[in-house]
Amino acid sequence: MGLLSKMLGGRPGEAAINATLADAVRVLPGVTGHSLRYNHQPQASGAVSGIVDVADSATFLEVLRTVRRVLDGLLGAGADRVTFYLTGRTPDGVPVTPGDLGLTQPPTGREVAQRLLS
């Protein structure tokens, strides 16, 4: 996000957020593909949805952490209000959800930060 946008309280556009998320998740060890998509939402900062092909649940956990860190850098405090509609998928097709990792379904960015980043 540009300096002027930050000073005026703006937020980056969906395309910029999606590109940054894709770049961050693509390079994680154990991630073989993804269909992540961020959308601004009128009543919240937004939502991240999609499926991430992962080696195992530990990799999906790292995906959640990475997405939250990226959103924090792009949205600041607004990252707490983002809803995570993400699912992992292991090589044998077994889904991994945030609920499988002890989070609510779907979790907010605040919960991901409190439970996974501390």
Side-chain angles (χ1 to χ4, degrees):
M1 173 162 46
L3 180 59
L4 184 58
S5 289
K6 281 187 174 192
M7 290 172 45
L8 297 175
R11 59 183 175 179
E14 289 178 5
I17 293 172
N18 282 318
T20 305
L21 285 173
D23 289 345
V25 170
R26 176 180 316 131
V27 298
L28 292 173
V31 171
T32 58
H34 68 83
S35 64
L36 293 183
R37 176 113 177 106
Y38 171 84
N39 293 301
H40 289 309
Q41 300 289 313
Q43 301 300 330
S45 279
V48 178
S49 58
I51 298 173
V52 183
D53 294 315
V54 296
D56 51 30
S57 60
T59 303
F60 183 63
L61 178 63
E62 191 55 35
V63 167
L64 294 175
R65 287 180 175 140
T66 299
V67 168
R68 179 56 174 88
R69 282 189 208 106
V70 168
L71 291 175
D72 187 51
L74 295 171
L75 301 175
D80 282 346
R81 296 185 309 276
V82 173
T83 304
F84 283 59
Y85 297 101
L86 294 176
T87 302
R89 180 173 51 208
T90 63
D92 56 359
V94 175
V96 183
T97 68
D100 296 330
L101 303 174
L103 299 168
T104 60
Q105 189 66 26
T108 63
R110 178 182 315 273
E111 182 182 4
V112 172
Q114 289 174 340
R115 307 267 315 271
L116 301 182
L117 298 180
S118 45

